[in-house]
Amino acid sequence: MSEDPNSDQRWIGDAVFVKVNFEVLLDPTNISEPPDECQRQQYRLCRLELLDSMILSISQIRRIGENRQSGINQPNRISKQLDQLRELAQRVILERNSLEQERLESTTDQSFHGQSILALWLKMMLAARLSTDKIEEVTGIIRFPGKKIKGLSLSGKGSTRYHPGLPNCILASFGSHTIISASQDRFGVEELDEWSRQLRDQYLRKLEEMCPSDSQDKIRKLRDFSESLYQENQDPKNEQITMDGTEKGEGGLRYDLAGPHGILGTWNTRGEYMKSCRLDHCRFKTRRPEKNQGVSSRFYPAAACAEWSCFVEEVYRKQGRDIILYETEERELKILKHNS
């Protein structure tokens, strides 16, 4: 029998392992500030953004735990985890306040809550290094904490595994500029997981709203195609599914995600290369490292994957420049849907 996604035990698991996983990412022995002053300033700004997001996440977990304290079966365990989360929050706030003076106003690149904790951490780690364009280097960075973070299964042995407070998939794209993206940070408690999804959706929606109108139109077109393709593959026998207003089977749209000279990779939380989902394979052209060529047979929801975040962030950064959606013919789309 699967565990109730809103059970007290599920909350306790989230609370315990969020604390463990956040402490691994914050371990000062794993991080050294860069010697260059300009680079050090960027590193500190990235760390400040990471700390802000951690505080927000911890606060949300605590809020839900505090609401459960009355009428629960394990009040002592709930109280213990609330105390430990409070101590963690105080440590993070203390460090955040010491870095607050490093915060700078920017008129060209605004950040919003909703980016993944692990994506923000990776940005910080890359800001501390002189070289940031090697996929192998990113693999090594993610793999190091990947050995220490803790995960849980949603419904027992053999079920889907997640790492509380962290995403299932993280992406690094090195093209005309570097983009670090991720899927949503995952939780076992349904309410927390939905909060995380909505926060990420709001972040991407804000970026989309700040794009020129023609760029917003291209995001909308690719999203419509993606949603149609996803729905089609939830019910392959449904012959009435359409793609962006056209009859099923007439082709689709595709975007060159890393650009003609760029490269990107996707990893799981442990730093292992992760296959592209079938939907991303159909809608995004990418150049990947040799060990990251695989394609999954699964179709995930249109906006769920790290590749979608990367696309929206790419369009936002380019502000209308060189955003080209390629049309795929019916035969090409059929090959993409069924072959690697």
Side-chain angles (χ1 to χ4, degrees):
M1 179 180 295
S2 62
E3 185 181 291
D4 178 0
N6 292 310
S7 69
D8 296 331
Q9 188 61 40
R10 185 69 65 81
W11 180 89
I12 289 171
D14 278 348
V16 169
F17 289 108
V18 161
K19 180 177 182 294
V20 170
N21 294 338
F22 283 11
E23 287 179 335
V24 169
L25 297 183
L26 291 172
D27 187 351
T29 62
N30 301 334
I31 308 167
S32 58
E33 290 194 356
D36 178 76
E37 177 60 31
C38 182
Q39 192 179 1
R40 183 162 61 249
Q41 186 180 72
Q42 182 61 35
Y43 164 84
R44 289 176 177 174
L45 288 172
C46 289
R47 188 166 182 84
L48 182 60
E49 195 170 43
L50 171 66
L51 296 173
D52 280 341
S53 291
M54 283 186 169
I55 291 168
L56 183 65
S57 187
I58 295 169
S59 297
Q60 188 70 8
I61 300 168
R62 286 177 57 193
R63 183 189 67 79
I64 292 176
E66 288 166 354
N67 290 341
R68 291 166 177 259
Q69 278 193 297
S70 60
I72 58 176
N73 296 323
Q74 303 180 71
N76 292 336
R77 290 194 65 188
I78 291 277
S79 298
K80 178 181 177 182
Q81 298 311 320
L82 284 171
D83 290 341
Q84 292 186 354
L85 286 173
R86 189 176 299 110
E87 291 174 3
L88 176 61
Q90 290 172 347
R91 297 205 310 268
V92 176
I93 291 170
L94 185 63
E95 182 180 352
R96 193 275 305 273
N97 290 343
S98 70
L99 289 173
E100 187 67 36
Q101 60 184 345
E102 302 290 339
R103 188 190 298 274
L104 299 178
E105 294 295 331
S106 173
T107 58
T108 59
D109 188 11
Q110 299 188 40
S111 61
F112 307 97
H113 289 305
Q115 297 180 75
S116 164
I117 293 291
L118 192 59
L120 292 171
W121 178 84
L122 181 56
K123 289 181 183 180
M124 180 191 72
M125 296 298 289
L126 291 177
R129 298 177 178 238
L130 294 175
S131 173
T132 60
D133 60 353
K134 294 181 179 179
I135 291 290
E136 296 83 2
E137 184 176 2
V138 176
T139 302
I141 293 172
I142 301 174
R143 189 170 292 164
F144 186 77
K147 297 176 181 177
K148 300 180 180 180
I149 60 173
K150 302 296 183 183
L152 292 168
S153 294
L154 288 174
S155 57
K157 187 175 181 181
S159 67
T160 302
R161 194 165 181 80
Y162 73 104
H163 297 81
L166 303 178
N168 288 339
C169 178
I170 186 165
L171 174 150
S173 173
F174 300 107
S176 57
H177 44 257
T178 300
I179 293 181
I180 308 298
S181 297
S183 54
Q184 73 169 81
D185 291 330
R186 292 300 311 276
F187 296 92
V189 174
E190 189 173 62
E191 184 180 350
L192 275 172
D193 211 45
E194 178 63 16
W195 166 80
S196 178
R197 184 191 64 77
Q198 290 183 2
L199 192 66
R200 177 176 177 269
D201 287 349
Q202 290 169 10
Y203 161 68
L204 294 176
R205 190 159 51 248
K206 286 180 181 179
L207 293 185
E208 183 176 343
E209 291 171 353
M210 295 177 68
C211 292
S213 58
D214 59 336
S215 296
Q216 292 185 37
D217 185 56
K218 289 174 182 177
I219 293 174
R220 185 164 50 251
K221 284 182 178 180
L222 190 58
R223 180 169 50 234
D224 289 346
F225 163 69
S226 302
E227 290 175 350
S228 294
L229 192 57
Y230 172 73
Q231 291 298 330
E232 173 191 335
N233 284 275
Q234 303 312 296
D235 186 9
K237 296 180 180 179
N238 185 354
E239 297 299 327
Q240 303 305 314
I241 296 296
T242 62
M243 298 175 180
D244 194 25
T246 62
E247 290 184 4
K248 175 187 167 186
E250 288 192 1
L253 297 171
R254 213 172 189 214
Y255 179 73
D256 192 346
L257 196 55
H261 307 295
I263 189 170
L264 67 79
T266 49
W267 299 263
N268 62 25
T269 318
R270 297 178 299 279
E272 302 162 339
Y273 278 123
M274 194 168 187
K275 292 181 178 180
S276 171
C277 91
R278 185 63 58 172
L279 176 58
D280 288 328
H281 184 61
C282 291
R283 63 182 173 174
F284 295 127
K285 177 182 177 182
T286 60
R287 186 168 72 89
R288 290 171 173 262
E290 183 178 352
K291 296 180 180 179
N292 194 204
Q293 298 287 330
V295 180
S296 168
S297 61
R298 297 190 64 178
F299 282 78
Y300 289 97
C305 297
E307 283 88 341
W308 181 257
S309 298
C310 181
F311 169 65
V312 175
E313 291 172 340
E314 170 87 354
V315 175
Y316 165 73
R317 283 177 176 267
K318 287 188 172 183
Q319 286 295 299
R321 301 184 304 273
D322 303 322
I323 306 300
I324 302 172
L325 296 182
Y326 299 93
E327 293 185 0
T328 50
E329 296 181 354
E330 178 183 354
R331 181 175 179 276
E332 181 182 1
L333 180 59
K334 185 175 181 180
I335 292 173
L336 291 170
K337 286 166 60 178
H338 299 289
N339 301 285
S340 299

